[in-house]
Amino acid sequence: MNEASRLSRIKAGLYFGSMVLVKTLAGLLVIKMLAWKLGPEGFGLLGQLMTVVAIVGMLAGGGISNGLIRVLAKTPLATTEGQAWYASAYTLTTILCCASAVLIAALSPVLASYLVPGVGMLLFIVLAFSQALIGYGNLPLAEASSRGSSRTFSVINIAGTLAGAAMVIAAVHYGAFEEAAYSLVLMPAMVGVFALLYAVFRRRELLTSCSWSIAPERMKLLLSFSMVTLIGAVSVPLAQLFIRDVMGRAMGWEQVGQWQGVIKLSDVYMQFMGVVLINFVLPRIAAASDMRHVLKEWSGSVCALVGVLLAGFAVFYLMRDFLITLVFSSDFLPMKALLAPQMAGDVFRTIAASISYVFMARGLVRVSFAFELAQGVLLVGAFSWFFSTEGTMAPVYAHMVTYCFLSVVMAFGLLFWMRRKAQ
């Protein structure tokens, strides 16, 4: 590795590190406010809404970001071909954002009565609007990622995260459950707002590339990545909705709140893993010239990510009583029994997901599709198996077993594929 490449990696690491630090602190502050003001029961109830918001956010604009990053990494926006790809992505985003808004609005009475009784269907009308902001904001973010501009990507995310967290904290502090629900719905859209402001004031060529373009072949490729995002967005969250519902009915929502606390902590650092894999590892593997470079990029990245996870887990586990009380409250101390299997599962999850992105970057989208689908199916199956005997520990045991199995399967799949390519 030459000096310029080494400096580039260091700078990227610093930008991503700064973004992760801000996202982590902001996420912990939001969790603290929700847990402190609403308690385990209210926190558990809001967990259902947060899951739906996460699903909608991932699907915003059709979830074509991964595909756009991959194609622009090879054909930049400065080229005619790159502009054509961006125009196709904009067209798809518009069509799918409109379709999603109509669907969410139509389902708003059902969603309101099931997820947040008493809040009202207007909450989901707001969600329908916010997903469009996320979808359009993903386009300039994907373009920045494709050319390795970690500074741009990180600054936009930091600004959006701070604005969103401030909004939630203010709403929870000065309001109640309903205000908290509205702020959580709007929070993810803040990154999209800042991404669009960046396009307007700093990269006007992004706006000029937003022309209407119906190109079947390009749309078909982008939609193939969209299907992976679709399954990834609904597979695990739907499994978690099922688990919450079963536990809530059998054990009460306070027990769900304890598990929800572990899940939200996991989401904070796993979000960082996803950002690095999508916006740093994916474009590099996509642009790699041969299998040797693919293996080098993947192995270096996964070793670094797992090392960071293990170091963070060790510190957190040693200080778990203090940190749980600090982040949540003393009411959440029972959740410390759930930490070890959850953390072990997250390590295996990182390994399995990193291999999935290798396949995605090299165009083997079906493997990534199968991986995303398997997560939810295996989680539900493992939870159902453990629930009768393990009770409150069932969801974290299911998490650990699911990702241990998937990491082994994905590793064997990677070895088999690389051997075939070498022949």
Side-chain angles (χ1 to χ4, degrees):
M1 185 184 298
N2 58 40
E3 189 66 24
S5 178
R6 186 178 293 108
L7 287 174
S8 175
R9 284 177 177 266
I10 291 172
K11 286 182 179 180
L14 290 174
Y15 284 126
F16 278 122
S18 300
M19 181 187 69
V20 170
L21 178 62
V22 171
K23 279 183 167 289
T24 300
L25 293 177
L28 292 176
L29 278 173
V30 168
I31 291 171
K32 174 68 177 180
M33 286 298 295
L34 292 172
W36 177 42
K37 286 285 187 176
L38 304 177
E41 184 176 354
F43 193 69
L45 284 170
L46 268 186
Q48 300 288 64
L49 176 64
M50 286 188 278
T51 297
V52 172
V53 171
I55 293 173
V56 171
M58 289 181 68
L59 294 180
I64 61 174
S65 293
N66 293 347
L68 187 58
I69 290 171
R70 181 178 181 270
V71 296
L72 291 183
K74 293 185 175 182
T75 56
L77 189 72
T79 65
T80 303
E81 182 72 8
Q83 291 171 7
W85 277 108
Y86 199 87
S88 295
Y90 165 76
T91 304
L92 264 180
T93 297
T94 301
I95 294 170
L96 295 171
C97 278
C98 290
S100 296
V102 171
L103 180 62
I104 293 170
L107 294 176
S108 59
V110 177
L111 292 171
S113 62
Y114 176 69
L115 294 173
V116 280
V119 174
M121 55 185 278
L122 179 61
L123 176 68
F124 294 93
I125 304 298
V126 173
L127 178 61
F129 172 74
S130 69
Q131 61 87 29
L133 292 174
I134 297 170
Y136 284 119
N138 282 341
L139 297 177
L141 286 173
E143 191 276 333
S145 295
S146 71
R147 56 187 167 86
S149 182
S150 52
R151 179 180 181 274
T152 299
F153 184 87
S154 299
V155 169
I156 291 172
N157 271 274
I158 288 171
T161 298
L162 290 175
M167 177 178 60
V168 174
I169 291 169
V172 175
H173 181 70
Y174 294 107
F177 185 89
E178 183 173 348
E179 288 75 14
Y182 274 97
S183 64
L184 287 171
V185 163
L186 287 170
M187 182 179 177
M190 292 300 102
V191 173
V193 169
F194 279 91
L196 293 174
L197 290 174
Y198 161 76
V200 170
F201 292 107
R202 300 296 297 273
R203 292 292 305 280
R204 296 302 294 270
E205 63 269 31
L206 293 174
L207 300 181
T208 58
S209 298
C210 291
S211 57
W212 193 260
S213 175
I214 302 293
E217 289 302 317
R218 292 193 183 95
M219 288 185 166
K220 182 179 178 181
L221 182 74
L222 290 173
L223 284 173
S224 69
F225 285 86
S226 178
M227 290 304 297
V228 176
T229 304
L230 170 64
I231 295 301
V234 301
S235 180
V236 173
L238 285 180
Q240 291 177 351
L241 282 172
F242 169 79
I243 292 170
R244 285 193 196 95
D245 189 60
V246 172
M247 290 183 67
R249 294 175 186 275
M251 300 178 177
W253 286 100
E254 183 169 347
Q255 291 298 324
V256 176
Q258 300 291 340
W259 174 58
Q260 182 67 31
V262 176
I263 291 296
K264 296 313 293 180
L265 283 177
S266 174
D267 286 347
V268 168
Y269 53 77
M270 289 307 296
Q271 185 181 55
F272 161 61
M273 299 297 149
V275 166
V276 174
L277 288 172
I278 294 171
N279 299 285
F280 184 77
V281 179
L282 177 62
R284 287 176 176 269
I285 293 177
S289 57
D290 54 44
M291 293 306 300
R292 183 175 65 85
H293 286 102
V294 169
L295 182 61
K296 183 179 179 181
E297 291 287 353
W298 172 75
S299 59
S301 300
V302 74
C303 287
L305 289 174
V306 170
V308 169
L309 268 184
L310 291 175
F313 288 165
V315 172
F316 189 90
Y317 196 77
L318 289 172
M319 303 175 64
R320 58 192 180 277
D321 284 26
F322 168 74
L323 291 174
I324 289 172
T325 304
L326 177 67
V327 175
F328 297 94
S329 69
S330 58
D331 293 337
F332 285 80
L333 282 174
M335 68 182 271
K336 63 184 180 181
L338 309 175
L339 287 175
Q342 178 70 31
M343 290 175 175
D346 285 338
V347 172
F348 289 123
R349 182 181 181 183
T350 300
I351 295 170
S354 69
I355 299 172
S356 175
Y357 278 104
V358 172
F359 286 116
M360 185 185 298
R362 305 308 289 186
L364 299 174
V365 181
R366 291 182 181 180
V367 178
S368 297
F369 182 89
F371 167 72
E372 297 292 352
L373 179 62
Q375 291 182 78
V377 174
L378 290 173
L379 276 171
V380 169
F383 169 78
S384 300
W385 177 271
F386 283 118
F387 186 63
S388 61
T389 56
E390 303 299 334
T392 56
M393 297 297 293
V396 289
Y397 285 161
H399 177 77
M400 180 176 64
V401 169
T402 292
Y403 288 106
C404 178
F405 174 77
L406 285 175
S407 64
V408 172
V409 171
M410 294 296 286
F412 275 112
L414 181 62
L415 289 173
F416 176 75
W417 174 67
M418 295 189 74
R419 284 186 178 180
R420 286 193 63 185
K421 295 291 288 185
Q423 291 176 355

